[in-house]
Amino acid sequence: MAKILFVMTGADEWTLADGGKHRTGFWADEAVVPYEAFKDAGHEITVATPDGVVPPVDPASLAADANGGEERAAEVKAVAEGAAEFRNPVALAEVTLEDFDAVYVPGGHGPMEDLAVDTDSGRLLAGAVEAGLPVGVVCHGPAALLAAAREDGTNAYAGYRITAFTNTEEEMAGSAAKARWLLQDRLTEAGLEVLVGEPWAPHVEVDRNVVTGQNPASSGPLAAELLKKLA
């Protein structure tokens, strides 16, 4: 049995370029699908957020059309809102990386609001990649990698081949023009090599101990790749 740390957003609003707020949180199936895969494999999950707040789920991610129908949407909502791990997070500042075997970061626009600048999250993610722990990150989750700085100020993931929610997908979703910054651009500026797949199609990149997924459809394939590293 492995112990997997879920680093999750505590933000329920995303600040837009005009100063307005957009309702957000974590994207439900990006947390639930890997959660179910890891639990089914017998692994233990601990959720950590800034200040230990209960991670808010993006209400848009609970809609039927975001989950392939009403039945699956109900299943995803039950886990996202009811699973003990999601209801009882610990504070990122209190996490000792040595207690865990892998780290996973789901997306949603929430991480762009808080994890992108959270020093505790950045400390854990920098430590994880440098220690060779499996690190899985999906969709907007790679925003958290922006805070993973080495002592010299460079990004601990610079030079890694990853994928993330793309500029094209942000434009197609209607969010690009409203955003203060775009994830693909900011990751590239930090020295990461962002590889772009077809919009909305599953796309996973594996580079050394880092596994990344482009969008919600990539959550399942990403979980499968991360499980291989824990076998």
Side-chain angles (χ1 to χ4, degrees), residues 200-219:
W200 314 115
H203 174 210
V204 172
E205 291 292 335
V206 181
D207 186 355
R208 289 159 278 180
N209 56 315
V210 178
V211 183
T212 50
Q214 181 172 311
N215 45 39
S218 306
S219 300

Side-chain angles (χ1 to χ4, degrees), residues 46-58:
T46 297
V47 172
T49 63
D51 299 320
V53 302
V54 174
V57 60
D58 188 322

Side-chain angles (χ1 to χ4, degrees), residues 14 17 109 166-182:
W14 177 38
H109 281 112
T166 66
N167 289 356
T168 298
E169 286 169 319
E170 204 76 81
E171 290 164 3
M172 293 172 71
S175 302
K178 307 174 186 177
R180 289 179 295 167
W181 48 271
L182 296 178

Side-chain angles (χ1 to χ4, degrees), residues 13-22 24 113 178-181:
E13 290 184 328
W14 177 38
T15 305
L16 305 176
D18 65 0
K21 303 288 186 178
H22 178 77
T24 189
E113 185 73 17
K178 307 174 186 177
R180 289 179 295 167
W181 48 271

Side-chain angles (χ1 to χ4, degrees), residues 14-190:
W14 177 38
T15 305
L16 305 176
D18 65 0
K21 303 288 186 178
H22 178 77
R23 184 80 183 274
T24 189
F26 70 90
W27 198 259
D29 66 351
E30 293 174 12
V32 171
V33 171
Y35 172 90
E36 292 176 325
F38 300 152
K39 293 283 279 191
D40 287 348
H43 300 311
E44 180 181 319
I45 293 170
T46 297
V47 172
T49 63
D51 299 320
V53 302
V54 174
V57 60
D58 188 322
S61 70
L62 299 176
D65 60 2
N67 292 283
E70 293 285 356
E71 183 177 355
R72 179 57 181 165
E75 294 171 351
V76 168
K77 181 177 181 180
V79 176
E81 296 184 344
E85 293 89 346
F86 296 136
R87 302 306 305 167
N88 299 282
V90 299
L92 284 165
E94 298 172 2
V95 173
T96 300
L97 185 62
E98 289 73 19
D99 293 338
F100 295 94
D101 304 298
V103 179
Y104 176 67
V105 189
H109 281 112
M112 293 179 70
E113 185 73 17
D114 58 359
L115 298 183
V117 294
D118 189 282
T119 54
D120 293 311
S121 172
R123 166 182 59 85
L124 293 167
L125 287 165
V129 73
E130 290 171 352
L133 295 184
V135 177
V137 195
V138 72
C139 201
H140 290 92
L145 303 182
L146 296 171
R150 300 188 185 97
E151 290 186 5
D152 64 2
T154 60
N155 192 286
Y157 291 80
Y160 274 80
R161 184 182 67 251
I162 70 161
T163 189
F165 201 69
T166 66
N167 289 356
T168 298
E169 286 169 319
E170 204 76 81
E171 290 164 3
M172 293 172 71
S175 302
K178 307 174 186 177
R180 289 179 295 167
W181 48 271
L182 296 178
L183 181 58
Q184 181 183 337
D185 291 346
R186 191 64 65 86
L187 290 166
T188 301
E189 291 165 4

